Amino acid sequence: MIRVGISPMTPPQVFVDLWPQIQNLYPDMKFKLITFENTLENAREILANLGQNIDVVAGIFDETMLKLRGCDGTEISREPFCVAVSIHHRLAEKKKITLDDLAGENFMLMQRGWSYYGDRLRDDMIRNHPEINIVDFDLYNVEAFNWCENENEVLLAFKSWESVHPLIKIIPVEWDYTMPFGILHSKTPSDKVKRLIKAIRQIK
């Protein structure tokens, strides 16, 4: 039984997609979903103690984030950075946006030090697109999406978060920024988690 932590920011869809192939490899493997709230305390507590109450969490990560949270990750795919906007925002009708479209916008970025790729994007914007106003925030959760919608700002986001907020639209951007997506697990995974990691690598 693999205990999977789920939240609005860490939806279980990847397990739904991989489930038939995992079942073919390990017919005895089962999943139990455990919900948790996206708070700073939970981000620290759950990820630093994977294997105690929760075995794995599906989500985005990179080396900087793994080091910060004291866990490890197994990559499944690379997810492009997108942006989230209110359905009433001037950019909401666009199929794809450019950095020029973001001129004059308040652009919500996780604070420096959270992600290597996020920091690279930040540095690119500061250097080459000073017309975009960067707004720091400290945690991806529903409140960040509420703020984005209520204040009509632009939020760095991922396609897998489309169901987080009914009044938010997620739009691809013409840039080359991506981030690993996969499962987060303990640095010393249990045998059952090792089997899951092995299954994912075989499927990949």
Side-chain angles (χ1 to χ4, degrees), residues 162-204:
E162 280 183 312
S163 60
V164 171
H165 196 297
L167 299 179
I168 288 285
K169 183 179 178 187
I170 295 182
I171 309 169
V173 186
E174 287 183 9
W175 56 26
D176 295 324
Y177 288 97
T178 64
M179 198 161 173
F181 171 85
I183 61 163
L184 299 164
H185 50 80
S186 168
K187 289 182 176 180
T188 54
S190 62
D191 288 342
K192 63 183 179 179
V193 174
K194 284 179 183 173
R195 289 173 85 213
L196 175 62
I197 294 167
K198 185 179 177 184
I200 287 169
R201 286 178 176 155
Q202 284 180 256
I203 291 163
K204 273 187 69 186

Side-chain angles (χ1 to χ4, degrees), residues 117-152:
Y117 297 102
D119 288 349
R120 274 184 59 198
L121 175 59
R122 175 190 293 271
D123 291 338
D124 179 14
M125 285 187 158
I126 290 169
R127 189 167 52 247
N128 301 312
H129 300 277
E131 69 281 3
I132 300 170
N133 180 39
I134 294 173
V135 177
D136 285 4
F137 69 104
D138 60 4
L139 185 70
Y140 274 111
N141 56 16
V142 174
E143 282 309 307
F145 280 76
N146 283 337
W147 180 271
C148 170
E149 202 280 324
N150 293 331
E151 300 299 322
N152 214 32

